[in-house]
């Protein structure tokens, strides 16, 4: 079983930057699919970004392309999401999700077996 914990959320202003962290523990040595999702208030879950650990490829939803950067620190077993030039539309609970198998539907929540509890990001106008 894999334990996933996010951190780094908080209250910021429009234009600010924030970096989220996600640490996996337990049986996490074979993780190949790493991703971030978010749930804005009164909206459904949205895919944000994914990283393929085998190819080192990264993927982003259009609304965050150029502003967000997904990366990992192998030594610390930690996944990061650097978010720049934030707007109120970025306000959401952000979730880290991981899986041991890479799938082409990296944007689908059903492709991830392990999820964190979420961390709140609030961007004021």
């Amino acid at each position: 079983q894999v334990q996933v914990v996010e951190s780094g959320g908080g209250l910021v202003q429009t234009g600010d930057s924030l970096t989220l962290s996600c640490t996996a523990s337990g049986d996490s040595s074979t993780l190949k699919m790493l991703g971030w999702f978010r749930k804005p208030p009164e909206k459904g879950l949205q895919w944000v970004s994914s990283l393929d650990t085998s190819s080192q490829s990264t993927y982003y939803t259009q609304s965050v392309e150029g502003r967000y950067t997904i990366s990992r620190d192998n030594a610390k077993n930690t996944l990061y999401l650097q978010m720049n030039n934030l707007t109120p539309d970025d306000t959401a609970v952000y979730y880290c999700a991981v899986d041991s198998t890479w799938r082409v539907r990296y944007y689908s929540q059903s492709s991830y077996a392990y999820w964190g509890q979420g961390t709140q990001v609030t961007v004021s106008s």
Side-chain angles (χ1 to χ4, degrees):
Q1 196 169 42
V2 177
Q3 317 293 324
V4 181
V5 179
E6 309 97 334
S7 63
L11 175 63
V12 297
Q13 297 181 355
T14 297
D16 284 352
S17 297
L18 200 63
T19 299
L20 306 182
S21 299
C22 170
T23 300
S25 60
D27 189 16
S28 59
S29 61
T30 60
L31 296 176
K32 297 182 65 66
M33 192 164 171
L34 315 175
W36 290 95
F37 290 77
R38 67 185 182 186
K39 187 181 185 303
E42 307 300 325
K43 295 183 178 180
L45 193 66
Q46 303 173 348
W47 170 74
V48 176
S49 181
S50 294
L51 187 154
D52 178 357
T53 63
S54 296
S55 67
Q56 301 180 34
S57 298
T58 59
Y59 307 88
Y60 301 91
T61 191
Q62 184 179 7
S63 63
V64 309
E65 182 75 47
R67 297 190 300 119
Y68 287 20
T69 302
I70 187 172
S71 63
R72 66 188 296 226
D73 186 326
N74 293 339
K76 298 180 179 179
N77 198 31
T78 301
L79 179 71
Y80 300 97
L81 184 68
Q82 181 180 341
M83 306 181 293
N84 297 327
N85 195 23
L86 290 165
T87 75
D89 286 341
D90 295 310
T91 295
V93 177
Y94 283 72
Y95 297 91
C96 177
V98 302
D99 201 274
S100 60
T101 302
W102 175 258
R103 297 181 176 86
V104 294
R105 293 175 56 87
Y106 51 81
Y107 48 83
S108 174
Q109 60 182 291
S110 64
S111 296
Y112 300 83
Y114 307 102
W115 293 73
Q117 301 77 227
T119 184
Q120 176 71 49
V121 173
T122 302
V123 185
S124 65
S125 59

